Amino acid sequence: MSHSAPATPLLSSIDPATGEVVGSVPVTAVESIARLVFQAREAQRGWGALTHAQRADILRPAAARLRAEARRLGELASREMGKPLPEAVGEANYCAD
């Protein structure tokens, strides 16, 4: 007899114009929150020990990726929130800066 793990609940993002599901993400179980906060605080120690230049070196590839994906991310944000596409693309680029 096989038992499957309980399904992880999902939170769906709905396109307000069409009612279609744009995407879904797993919901974090309440029981996991304390552990995740602890892990984040532990990670902050290492991040806080870095110089601004070191942090910039780590974040630079993420910024480049945001710029490269700005159109796609803008389209997604536009579908999720009904935001005008040029504004949504602009916000993706702004995040990269």
Side-chain angles (χ1 to χ4, degrees):
M1 174 187 261
S2 68
H3 297 282
S4 59
T8 301
L10 297 176
L11 177 65
S12 295
S13 176
I14 308 296
D15 182 330
T18 65
E20 293 179 45
V21 174
V22 175
S24 298
V25 295
V27 175
T28 300
V30 171
E31 301 81 26
S32 300
I33 293 174
R35 175 182 50 82
L36 295 169
V37 169
F38 175 80
Q39 290 173 336
R41 287 182 175 150
E42 289 295 306
Q44 175 58 34
R45 290 181 185 168
W47 183 254
L50 298 175
T51 66
H52 289 188
Q54 289 170 317
R55 293 179 199 177
D57 287 343
I58 292 168
L59 292 174
R60 208 167 277 114
R65 180 77 185 268
L66 274 170
R67 285 185 195 94
E69 298 284 341
R71 175 71 186 196
R72 187 181 65 78
L73 293 169
E75 289 171 354
L76 181 60
S78 182
R79 287 186 61 207
E80 285 185 312
M81 296 181 277
K83 183 180 287 276
L85 182 59
E87 186 178 327
V89 172
E91 284 185 4
N93 280 310
Y94 180 77
C95 288
D97 294 336

